[in-house]
């Protein structure tokens, strides 16, 4: 199943109920009982109906929600409750399909503007991960002289893909993206890697990947707390210039 939750929510918020909710790959489906999600537009208006997308908020409290940030309650209010009045803003974008199922499209700040097009990284990663040779992927933007930004892909291959011709794999991955999303979303650079830098809770550290893709490695921040800090050097050593 695909589920949606955050550390701050204290538990799963949107998820299929086993043996009850018909599941669709990449969709977290429906909110659990008592959870009231809302999709908001940039002007702060709730977007009603189905077949819509917007910024994912929660409009009513739930028992396990974070209630403050230790020693800095104002930061808690500014981070989660300042973007939309009386709403908990998750920082994520989402779409709601024709039957009301929710699909998380990625962090709002993980949208990359390529040649004037707003591209969410999550749908592109979903498309890449459909390739039978791909185990996992992460997409970030990097500065481009013509497009403004271009897309850089970090891809972990399954064992069946490691023996494949890498140039052919790159072409197949971009063709898959073109078929699923459109040619504008194709990657300019694809780096095959054995791992991705992750936090101890399994979250990919895209901040680090963005800096590496942009050849800005002078200040990556503290990497010692990562689950696999040794991966950072490996990614840097094999970055595509």
């Amino acid at each position: 199943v695909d589920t949606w939750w955050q550390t701050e929510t204290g538990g799963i918020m949107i998820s299929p109920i086993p043996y009850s909710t018909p599941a669709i790959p990449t969709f977290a489906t429906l909110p659990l009982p008592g959870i009231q999600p809302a999709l908001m537009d940039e002007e702060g208006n709730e977007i009603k109906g189905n077949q819509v997308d917007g910024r994912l908020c929660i409009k009513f409290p739930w028992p396990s929600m974070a209630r403050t940030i230790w020693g800095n309650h104002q930061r808690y209010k500014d981070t989660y409750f300042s973007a939309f009045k009386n709403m908990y803003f998750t920082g994520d974008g989402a779409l709601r399909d024709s039957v009301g199922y929710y699909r998380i499209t990625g962090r709002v700040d993980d949208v990359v503007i390529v040649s004037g097009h707003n591209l969410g990284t999550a749908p592109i990663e979903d498309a890449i991960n459909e390739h039978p040779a791909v185990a996992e992927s992460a997409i970030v933007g990097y500065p481009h002289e013509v497009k403004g930004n271009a897309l850089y892909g970090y891809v972990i291959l399954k064992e069946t893909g490691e023996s494949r011709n890498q140039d052919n794999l790159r072409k197949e991955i971009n063709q898959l993206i073109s078929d699923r999303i459109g040619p504008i979303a194709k990657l300019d650079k694809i780096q095959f890697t054995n791992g991705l830098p992750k936090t101890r809770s399994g979250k990919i550290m895209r901040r680090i990947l963005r800096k590496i893709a942009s050849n800005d490695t002078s200040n990556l921040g503290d990497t010692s707390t990562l689950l696999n800090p040794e991966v950072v050097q490996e990614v840097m050593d094999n970055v595509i210039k």
Side-chain angles (χ1 to χ4, degrees):
V1 299
D2 284 297
T3 66
W4 176 81
W5 60 285
Q6 299 177 316
T7 302
E8 298 91 331
T9 66
I12 294 171
M13 305 286 279
I14 304 176
S15 172
I17 296 175
Y19 303 104
S20 177
T21 312
I24 301 176
T26 76
F27 280 79
T29 68
L30 299 171
L32 293 178
I35 305 304
Q36 300 181 28
L39 297 182
M40 310 295 290
D41 65 20
E42 295 183 18
E43 285 71 46
N45 304 306
E46 183 174 355
I47 304 169
K48 304 286 189 177
N50 293 335
Q51 294 287 56
V52 295
D53 63 87
R55 286 156 165 73
L56 180 63
C57 294
I58 309 296
K59 56 184 178 181
F60 199 78
W62 61 98
S64 61
M65 68 185 296
R67 302 205 310 178
T68 192
I69 293 174
W70 177 257
N72 195 343
H73 191 65
Q74 187 59 46
R75 181 184 172 194
Y76 168 77
K77 292 165 65 176
D78 293 343
T79 300
Y80 300 106
F81 294 95
S82 63
F84 301 99
K85 186 177 180 180
N86 295 326
M87 296 269 189
Y88 170 90
F89 178 40
T90 67
D92 289 329
L95 63 82
R96 191 164 53 227
D97 74 358
S98 58
V99 297
Y101 277 15
Y102 287 87
R103 176 181 178 180
I104 309 305
T105 54
R107 300 293 295 172
V108 172
D109 55 9
D110 279 341
V111 172
V112 182
I113 302 175
V114 178
S115 299
H117 296 266
N118 293 341
L119 300 176
T121 58
I124 302 173
E125 291 168 0
D126 288 342
I128 295 171
N129 295 344
E130 289 183 20
H131 194 290
V134 172
E136 190 176 15
S137 63
I139 306 302
V140 297
Y142 70 96
H144 190 277
E145 291 181 0
V146 177
K147 301 178 181 180
N149 293 288
L151 296 176
Y152 193 112
Y154 299 89
V155 177
I156 300 175
L157 296 175
K158 298 177 182 176
E159 288 187 15
T160 54
E162 292 176 354
S163 59
R164 294 276 308 277
N165 180 284
Q166 292 196 348
D167 287 337
N168 287 342
L169 276 175
R170 288 186 175 95
K171 292 177 182 176
E172 292 173 9
I173 287 170
N174 265 333
Q175 187 59 52
L176 196 57
I177 294 170
S178 183
D179 293 342
R180 297 290 189 275
I181 299 172
I184 189 64
K186 291 198 295 187
L187 310 181
D188 281 49
K189 298 179 181 180
I190 300 177
Q191 177 182 345
F192 296 111
T193 180
N194 291 318
L196 297 169
K198 295 183 177 181
T199 66
R200 297 189 185 280
S201 61
K203 186 180 295 183
I204 297 172
M205 289 295 289
R206 297 171 191 276
R207 170 183 58 80
I208 293 175
L209 295 178
R210 276 193 290 267
K211 282 182 171 287
I212 294 174
S214 302
N215 292 313
D216 178 20
T217 57
S218 59
N219 182 22
L220 294 179
D222 182 14
T223 62
S224 63
T225 59
L226 294 175
L227 178 66
N228 49 354
E230 71 283 352
V231 167
V232 175
Q233 189 60 52
E234 179 194 333
V235 173
M236 290 173 58
D237 290 343
N238 294 287
V239 69
I240 300 173
K241 302 294 186 181

